[in-house]
Amino acid sequence: LVTDTPINLANAYFEIFPEDKQPVWTSPCQDKRHMSIWSGRNCSQLPSLVILGPQKSGSTALHFFLKQHPRLLTNPMTTHAFEEVQFFSSDLYYNKGVDWYISNFPTPNSTSTGTLVFEKSATYFTHLLAPERMRMLIPKAKLVVILADPIKRAYSWYQHVKFHNDPTALIHNFTSVIKASRKNSSSQNLLNLRSRCLLPGIYHEHLERWLEYFPQNQIYFVDGGELVDNPINVLLGLVEFIGVEYLDFGKILKFNPKKGFYCVVSSSKRSRTICLGRSKGRQYPALSKENTQYLERYYSAHNRKLYQMLMKMSRRPPTWLMEEASYRQ
Ligand code: A3P
């Protein structure tokens, strides 16, 4: 029998199984032995509700509105990743471990029963490893997915990256991005930008991955169009799903004509509203008819699959999906 130092044994092991180098954190809250050595932490600090995104679906507005509920606590605006924790979708943050994740959140007061912690990271929805990682750490978490019209979402995303000076978006208009292909010898950068722009909107594929790890009754769908037009109704349904007490969001949210969106009524001066910053609800030219038609064709089969998936789960499809009559045939 031959043996070696722990470090050398670990190195030998990882040479044979390199894929195991990436850790998977399981919940310390489900094992008494873990709990006994995991000092100073509180399981109620782990989120029991996660808004998964996707990006440019209205996720910041939903997070902002939901945190007005006194029973729903969340992380303060982090500076490390655009106000999001992004633990499950970033190897850098994930490798920092469970204590780092938990340290982002406040501890619910032990005397206020029914208070829970939630987070929103819009990068989770499309990330290949996020469903499994989340399942291993917070298997009972309720998940929220915002289904915004994928065409509007793609256009909003393009405007977003252009605004952030993405070099490829700066030199290619939206038409060139969505129509980029190997056949018309587009550059690799342009092809990558096209994928990043369009693939998140193939909702059924991402959902199938989440459903491998979470039961459907833990997943709630928000209609992205309704979130813009009638967020009060959206929040009513969501709060019921979460199981926290009723809150009259009609008194908390108000449409701001200047912003063109609903905003939060200021608690100190009720005639004032607090809206999301300038990077949310941007002004840009309307999408051309030609691009809309191109994207309708691009998403048509995918949207039909999403429609069938939602029907199978007995969920109400979002309005933009219902409007496409062909899905119902
Ligand atoms: P635009 O800026 O392109 O209009 P996310 O927060 O997931 O990045 O999504 C941003 C999008 O949220 C915005 O895209 C906007 O359309 C939408 N949105 C929905 N409700 C909003 C609100 N109350 N205030 C601002 N933007 C809102």
Side-chain angles (χ1 to χ4, degrees):
L1 186 68
V2 185
T3 190
D4 209 332
T5 63
I7 298 274
N8 287 345
L9 284 175
N11 286 336
Y13 176 88
F14 287 130
E15 239 166 66
I16 306 169
F17 303 106
E19 67 281 5
D20 284 0
K21 272 188 184 169
Q22 187 60 50
V24 177
W25 311 117
T26 55
S27 173
C29 306
Q30 290 173 343
D31 187 321
K32 272 188 192 160
R33 291 164 307 171
H34 286 174
M35 283 304 289
S36 65
I37 54 169
W38 193 48
S39 62
R41 293 293 178 191
N42 185 334
C43 285
S44 64
Q45 249 180 304
L46 275 171
S48 41
L49 176 77
V50 185
I51 301 170
L52 304 178
Q55 288 178 308
K56 309 317 290 175
S57 63
S59 61
T60 314
L62 187 62
H63 181 252
F64 181 46
F65 296 160
L66 211 50
K67 73 180 182 185
Q68 307 306 317
H69 195 297
R71 295 276 183 236
L72 299 176
L73 307 180
T74 191
N75 50 290
M77 304 277 223
T78 51
T79 46
H80 64 263
F82 309 105
E83 302 166 6
E84 298 181 339
V85 179
Q86 299 191 354
F87 178 68
F88 299 103
S89 56
S90 148
D91 289 350
L92 176 69
Y93 303 137
Y94 190 72
N95 289 344
K96 288 177 189 259
V98 179
D99 275 2
W100 178 85
Y101 182 48
I102 275 199
S103 71
N104 283 280
F105 303 106
T107 314
N109 190 329
S110 57
T111 54
S112 57
T113 49
T115 301
L116 53 90
V117 170
F118 81 106
E119 74 135 322
K120 175 290 271 193
S121 294
T123 46
Y124 290 162
F125 183 65
T126 53
H127 194 273
L128 294 182
L129 297 178
E132 184 185 1
R133 286 174 172 177
M134 207 178 281
R135 161 86 203 177
M136 296 308 276
L137 185 62
I138 44 173
K140 297 272 186 282
K142 291 181 176 177
L143 312 180
V144 179
V145 175
I146 306 168
L147 298 174
D149 181 341
I151 299 177
K152 287 188 188 160
R153 198 217 68 84
Y155 190 44
S156 166
W157 185 87
Y158 168 78
Q159 297 295 344
H160 173 79
V161 293
K162 192 173 163 188
F163 181 85
H164 285 279
N165 295 325
D166 179 291
T168 315
L170 282 177
I171 54 168
H172 294 284
N173 64 20
F174 188 59
T175 310
S176 327
V177 173
I178 60 175
K179 293 191 176 166
S181 76
R182 283 198 196 287
K183 263 195 232 149
N184 60 24
S185 55
S186 302
S187 72
Q188 193 53 49
N189 285 346
L190 190 54
L191 291 170
N192 291 345
L193 195 72
R194 180 183 197 262
S195 303
R196 289 168 56 220
C197 183
L198 300 185
L199 298 187
I202 302 182
Y203 295 141
H204 72 97
E205 281 185 1
H206 301 293
L207 281 173
E208 269 153 25
R209 227 180 29 255
W210 284 96
L211 285 164
E212 276 176 39
Y213 293 94
F214 282 88
Q216 45 172 282
N217 62 4
Q218 272 174 245
I219 305 179
Y220 189 82
F221 297 102
V222 163
D223 178 337
E226 195 182 9
L227 179 61
V228 173
D229 298 334
N230 190 355
I232 297 165
N233 206 36
V234 166
L235 288 156
L236 200 73
L238 184 52
V239 158
E240 197 181 323
F241 167 74
I242 301 168
V244 282
E245 67 202 36
Y246 168 83
L247 179 71
D248 188 357
F249 276 98
K251 289 198 176 121
I252 290 170
L253 306 183
K254 195 173 157 199
F255 186 76
N256 180 321
K258 199 167 162 216
K259 176 80 180 170
F261 286 95
Y262 275 81
C263 300
V264 170
V265 174
S266 160
S267 52
S268 55
K269 197 168 176 217
R270 296 204 54 81
S271 59
R272 249 193 79 219
T273 53
I274 303 159
C275 300
L276 295 182
R278 268 190 300 172
S279 65
K280 306 290 169 180
R282 286 195 180 97
Q283 304 283 330
Y284 39 79
L287 188 58
S288 71
K289 204 167 163 200
E290 193 203 351
N291 284 341
T292 306
Q293 284 168 350
Y294 179 88
L295 290 176
E296 273 169 3
R297 283 194 299 278
Y298 176 86
Y299 283 119
S300 171
H302 299 302
N303 283 347
R304 185 170 296 115
K305 283 191 183 150
L306 173 68
Y307 182 86
Q308 287 159 352
M309 204 174 180
L310 293 171
M311 283 291 132
K312 229 170 139 185
M313 291 193 270
S314 305
R315 305 302 179 92
R316 181 171 64 92
T319 314
W320 56 264
L321 190 57
M322 299 265 270
E323 278 164 2
E324 180 65 66
S326 60
Y327 305 139
R328 277 177 262 137
Q329 285 157 17

